Amino acid sequence: LAAHLYRYIRILDPDYIMIENVREFKGWGPLDENKRPVKHLKGIHFERWRNFIKSHFGYTDEWRMQCAADFGARTSRTRLFGIFSRKVGEGFRL
């Protein structure tokens, strides 16, 4: 869970963190009183979460949408993949 990633970073202090989630994760934001997303605030929680990890723990990040069918799977399911990295310039890219 995104809210628990901070604990793992503090304890494990990894150089790289790989994330896989549903594509809608990038639109993570507040809900209205009917539990529906607030359209003009779509993605605000995701961006705050991402920026907190980068600024407090010294990571850079990169994100990509990948379709399983592009890698030989018999499904067109699209997933969001991200990486946080402290090793800038060592050639790791999504």
Side-chain angles (χ1 to χ4, degrees):
L1 295 172
H4 295 281
L5 185 60
Y6 314 124
R7 285 189 308 141
Y8 292 104
I9 294 172
R10 285 186 188 109
I11 292 168
L12 300 175
D13 194 33
D15 289 331
Y16 299 101
I17 302 165
M18 295 288 297
I19 305 286
E20 182 212 356
N21 211 319
V22 295
R23 64 195 319 178
E24 293 82 7
F25 180 53
K26 216 170 178 181
W28 177 27
L31 304 176
D32 65 17
E33 60 277 351
N34 297 315
K35 306 289 187 224
R36 302 244 182 221
V38 178
K39 289 185 183 183
H40 71 278
L41 297 175
K42 185 176 181 178
I44 196 167
H45 290 338
F46 175 78
E47 289 301 322
R48 286 181 181 161
W49 170 80
R50 191 177 148 252
N51 289 327
F52 181 86
I53 291 171
K54 289 168 54 176
S55 65
H56 283 76
F57 299 108
Y59 289 100
T60 58
D61 66 334
E62 191 171 331
W63 297 86
R64 296 276 190 277
M65 295 285 190
Q66 299 286 335
C67 178
D70 294 340
F71 298 92
R74 300 181 94 180
T75 179
S76 60
R77 186 175 85 162
T78 300
R79 300 288 287 179
L80 174 66
F81 290 88
I83 185 167
F84 288 101
S85 171
R86 285 195 183 136
K87 300 275 186 170
V88 178
E90 291 199 11
F92 191 93
R93 298 194 56 90
L94 282 177

